[in-house]
Amino acid sequence: MKKFKTIEISEYEEMLKEISTSKDIELDNYDLLIYGGGGQNKKFYAALKANLDYEVLWSGWAGPNWAKFLSFIPGESGLVRIVKQSSFYELYDELAAHSVSDAIYIKKELTEKLTEEVKSKIWRVNFDLFIVKEQNSFVLTSEADETIWENKQEKYFYDYTVSTKIKQSLKKMITRENKNIK
Protein backbone atom coordinates (compact mmCIF):
# COMPACT_ATOMS: atom_id res chain seq x y z
CA MET A 1 0.00 0.00 0.00
CA LYS A 2 1.23 3.49 -0.87
CA LYS A 3 2.20 5.87 1.88
CA PHE A 4 0.37 9.06 1.02
CA LYS A 5 1.78 12.52 1.62
CA THR A 6 -0.29 15.31 3.13
CA ILE A 7 -1.03 18.69 1.62
CA GLU A 8 -2.73 21.76 3.04
CA ILE A 9 -6.20 22.18 1.57
CA SER A 10 -5.44 25.64 0.14
CA GLU A 11 -2.25 24.32 -1.48
CA TYR A 12 -4.17 21.37 -2.92
CA GLU A 13 -6.79 23.68 -4.43
CA GLU A 14 -4.05 25.89 -5.87
CA MET A 15 -2.41 22.84 -7.49
CA LEU A 16 -5.69 21.78 -9.13
CA LYS A 17 -6.22 25.31 -10.44
CA GLU A 18 -2.68 25.34 -11.86
CA ILE A 19 -3.34 22.06 -13.69
CA SER A 20 -6.52 23.64 -15.10
CA THR A 21 -4.67 26.65 -16.49
CA SER A 22 -1.05 25.66 -17.11
CA LYS A 23 0.32 26.27 -20.60
CA ASP A 24 2.56 23.23 -20.00
CA ILE A 25 -0.47 20.91 -20.09
CA GLU A 26 -0.53 20.35 -23.82
CA LEU A 27 -3.67 18.56 -24.98
CA ASP A 28 -2.74 18.26 -28.67
CA ASN A 29 -0.34 15.36 -28.10
CA TYR A 30 -1.21 14.39 -24.51
CA ASP A 31 -4.37 13.42 -22.68
CA LEU A 32 -5.33 14.62 -19.25
CA LEU A 33 -7.46 11.86 -17.78
CA ILE A 34 -9.30 11.52 -14.50
CA TYR A 35 -10.07 8.18 -12.90
CA GLY A 36 -12.75 8.40 -10.24
CA GLY A 37 -12.34 5.35 -8.01
CA GLY A 38 -15.98 5.04 -6.94
CA GLY A 39 -18.47 6.93 -4.85
CA GLN A 40 -20.71 8.07 -7.72
CA ASN A 41 -24.03 6.71 -8.89
CA LYS A 42 -24.72 5.64 -12.50
CA LYS A 43 -26.54 8.89 -13.25
CA PHE A 44 -23.37 10.90 -12.56
CA TYR A 45 -21.42 9.42 -15.49
CA ALA A 46 -24.52 9.36 -17.73
CA ALA A 47 -24.93 13.11 -17.17
CA LEU A 48 -21.22 13.67 -17.69
CA LYS A 49 -21.48 12.12 -21.18
CA ALA A 50 -23.68 15.05 -22.21
CA ASN A 51 -21.04 17.60 -21.14
CA LEU A 52 -18.81 18.58 -24.09
CA ASP A 53 -15.94 19.52 -21.74
CA TYR A 54 -15.41 15.82 -20.98
CA GLU A 55 -15.34 12.47 -22.76
CA VAL A 56 -16.29 9.46 -20.66
CA LEU A 57 -14.01 6.64 -21.85
CA TRP A 58 -15.41 4.08 -19.41
CA SER A 59 -17.63 3.81 -16.38
CA GLY A 60 -18.65 0.83 -14.30
CA TRP A 61 -19.00 -0.71 -10.89
CA ALA A 62 -15.97 -0.08 -8.66
CA GLY A 63 -16.40 -3.01 -6.30
CA PRO A 64 -16.36 -6.78 -6.57
CA ASN A 65 -18.91 -8.39 -8.91
CA TRP A 66 -20.80 -10.06 -6.06
CA ALA A 67 -21.68 -6.60 -4.67
CA LYS A 68 -23.32 -5.27 -7.88
CA PHE A 69 -26.78 -6.06 -6.52
CA LEU A 70 -26.17 -3.28 -3.97
CA SER A 71 -26.97 -0.72 -6.67
CA PHE A 72 -28.32 1.72 -4.08
CA ILE A 73 -24.71 2.23 -2.91
CA PRO A 74 -22.90 4.87 -5.01
CA GLY A 75 -20.08 2.69 -6.32
CA GLU A 76 -19.55 3.73 -9.93
CA SER A 77 -16.03 4.52 -11.07
CA GLY A 78 -15.06 6.10 -14.37
CA LEU A 79 -12.27 7.14 -16.67
CA VAL A 80 -12.77 10.56 -18.22
CA ARG A 81 -10.74 12.49 -20.81
CA ILE A 82 -10.57 16.23 -20.21
CA VAL A 83 -11.51 17.98 -23.45
CA LYS A 84 -11.48 21.52 -22.07
CA GLN A 85 -8.53 21.98 -19.70
CA SER A 86 -10.22 24.66 -17.61
CA SER A 87 -12.88 22.09 -16.63
CA PHE A 88 -10.32 19.84 -14.90
CA TYR A 89 -10.57 21.43 -11.44
CA GLU A 90 -14.32 21.09 -11.07
CA LEU A 91 -14.48 17.41 -12.04
CA TYR A 92 -11.36 16.25 -10.18
CA ASP A 93 -12.43 18.07 -7.05
CA GLU A 94 -15.89 16.45 -7.24
CA LEU A 95 -14.55 12.92 -7.77
CA ALA A 96 -11.79 13.12 -5.16
CA ALA A 97 -14.35 14.33 -2.61
CA HIS A 98 -16.08 10.93 -2.86
CA SER A 99 -13.23 8.44 -3.36
CA VAL A 100 -9.55 8.06 -4.09
CA SER A 101 -9.09 9.56 -7.57
CA ASP A 102 -6.27 9.90 -10.08
CA ALA A 103 -5.29 12.53 -12.62
CA ILE A 104 -3.20 10.94 -15.37
CA TYR A 105 -1.30 13.00 -17.93
CA ILE A 106 0.03 10.76 -20.73
CA LYS A 107 0.78 10.71 -24.43
CA LYS A 108 -2.38 10.24 -26.49
CA GLU A 109 -1.11 7.00 -27.99
CA LEU A 110 -1.15 5.38 -24.52
CA THR A 111 -4.76 6.27 -23.71
CA GLU A 112 -6.34 3.31 -25.47
CA LYS A 113 -4.05 0.83 -23.70
CA LEU A 114 -4.71 2.50 -20.35
CA THR A 115 -8.47 2.41 -21.00
CA GLU A 116 -8.32 -1.30 -21.79
CA GLU A 117 -6.39 -1.88 -18.58
CA VAL A 118 -9.08 -0.03 -16.59
CA LYS A 119 -11.85 -2.07 -18.26
CA SER A 120 -10.14 -5.37 -17.47
CA LYS A 121 -9.36 -4.71 -13.80
CA ILE A 122 -11.57 -5.79 -10.95
CA TRP A 123 -9.98 -3.24 -8.64
CA ARG A 124 -7.51 -0.40 -9.13
CA VAL A 125 -5.04 0.00 -11.99
CA ASN A 126 -1.42 0.89 -11.29
CA PHE A 127 -1.30 4.00 -13.51
CA ASP A 128 2.32 4.63 -12.54
CA LEU A 129 3.40 1.87 -14.94
CA PHE A 130 2.12 3.94 -17.86
CA ILE A 131 4.22 7.02 -17.17
CA VAL A 132 7.54 6.13 -15.56
CA LYS A 133 9.45 5.69 -18.85
CA GLU A 134 7.53 8.41 -20.69
CA GLN A 135 8.32 12.10 -21.04
CA ASN A 136 6.33 14.90 -19.43
CA SER A 137 3.82 12.57 -17.80
CA PHE A 138 2.44 12.30 -14.29
CA VAL A 139 -0.09 10.59 -12.06
CA LEU A 140 -1.64 12.53 -9.20
CA THR A 141 -3.64 10.55 -6.64
CA SER A 142 -5.66 12.16 -3.91
CA GLU A 143 -8.34 11.53 -1.38
CA ALA A 144 -10.31 14.59 -0.43
CA ASP A 145 -13.27 12.90 1.21
CA GLU A 146 -11.71 13.25 4.63
CA THR A 147 -9.19 15.57 6.21
CA ILE A 148 -6.60 15.23 8.91
CA TRP A 149 -5.15 17.82 11.25
CA GLU A 150 -1.38 18.07 11.18
CA ASN A 151 0.61 20.87 12.82
CA LYS A 152 -2.65 22.78 13.41
CA GLN A 153 -3.47 22.72 9.69
CA GLU A 154 -6.24 20.86 7.92
CA LYS A 155 -4.86 18.64 5.15
CA TYR A 156 -5.75 16.05 2.53
CA PHE A 157 -3.88 12.91 1.58
CA TYR A 158 -2.25 12.85 -1.85
CA ASP A 159 0.57 11.23 -3.79
CA TYR A 160 2.16 11.50 -7.20
CA THR A 161 4.49 9.86 -9.67
CA VAL A 162 6.27 11.85 -12.34
CA SER A 163 8.03 10.49 -15.41
CA THR A 164 11.80 10.30 -15.46
CA LYS A 165 11.99 13.05 -18.07
CA ILE A 166 9.59 15.86 -17.24
CA LYS A 167 9.50 19.62 -17.66
CA GLN A 168 10.57 21.25 -14.42
CA SER A 169 7.46 23.42 -14.43
CA LEU A 170 5.21 20.32 -14.52
CA LYS A 171 7.29 18.60 -11.86
CA LYS A 172 7.09 21.61 -9.53
CA MET A 173 3.35 21.92 -10.12
CA ILE A 174 2.72 18.29 -9.09
CA THR A 175 5.40 17.77 -6.43
CA ARG A 176 4.78 21.22 -4.92
CA GLU A 177 8.52 21.80 -4.49
CA ASN A 178 9.21 24.66 -2.09
CA LYS A 179 5.67 24.39 -0.74
CA ASN A 180 4.13 23.17 2.54
CA ILE A 181 4.14 19.47 1.81
CA LYS A 182 5.05 16.62 4.12
Side-chain angles (χ1 to χ4, degrees), residues 108-119:
K108 283 188 179 288
E109 59 258 22
L110 294 174
T111 299
E112 186 176 334
K113 184 176 180 183
L114 185 142
T115 302
E116 290 306 315
E117 186 75 11
V118 167
K119 289 177 181 179

Side-chain angles (χ1 to χ4, degrees), residues 128-173:
D128 296 354
L129 300 176
F130 286 88
I131 63 103
V132 173
K133 295 179 183 175
E134 295 300 321
Q135 291 186 16
N136 296 321
S137 297
F138 64 80
V139 175
L140 169 69
T141 304
S142 58
E143 182 176 12
D145 59 345
E146 60 182 76
T147 61
I148 63 161
W149 284 89
E150 188 176 74
N151 300 325
K152 298 181 182 179
Q153 296 176 327
E154 195 172 15
K155 297 183 177 187
Y156 290 138
F157 290 107
Y158 96 125
D159 203 3
Y160 55 82
T161 303
V162 295
S163 57
T164 51
K165 296 177 183 175
I166 189 167
K167 289 180 186 176
Q168 286 304 303
S169 56
L170 284 176
K171 183 178 179 183
K172 286 181 180 182
M173 182 172 41

Side-chain angles (χ1 to χ4, degrees), residues 8-72:
E8 289 179 34
I9 292 174
S10 61
E11 188 66 30
Y12 173 82
E13 291 170 347
E14 184 180 323
M15 175 180 58
L16 298 185
K17 288 174 185 173
E18 287 175 18
I19 294 170
S20 294
T21 60
S22 173
K23 302 275 188 239
D24 291 322
I25 301 288
E26 188 256 302
L27 297 182
D28 289 334
N29 297 310
Y30 287 80
D31 275 328
L32 181 57
L33 308 170
I34 298 176
Y35 178 78
Q40 301 297 335
N41 60 37
K42 288 182 180 183
K43 292 178 184 177
F44 177 84
Y45 287 102
L48 202 58
K49 288 178 182 177
N51 187 328
L52 299 177
D53 293 344
Y54 309 108
E55 179 185 353
V56 178
L57 300 175
W58 174 85
S59 65
W61 179 253
N65 284 336
W66 64 265
K68 280 186 178 181
F69 76 92
L70 301 171
S71 60
F72 57 90

Side-chain angles (χ1 to χ4, degrees), residues 50-106:
N51 187 328
L52 299 177
D53 293 344
Y54 309 108
E55 179 185 353
V56 178
L57 300 175
W58 174 85
S59 65
W61 179 253
N65 284 336
W66 64 265
K68 280 186 178 181
F69 76 92
L70 301 171
S71 60
F72 57 90
I73 296 173
E76 288 290 301
S77 59
L79 181 65
V80 179
R81 180 190 333 248
I82 301 300
V83 175
K84 184 179 175 189
Q85 184 180 345
S86 62
S87 64
F88 169 83
Y89 178 94
E90 181 181 7
L91 181 60
Y92 190 81
D93 191 50
E94 170 69 20
L95 291 172
H98 291 92
S99 65
V100 175
S101 297
D102 301 280
I104 308 113
Y105 182 64
I106 59 170

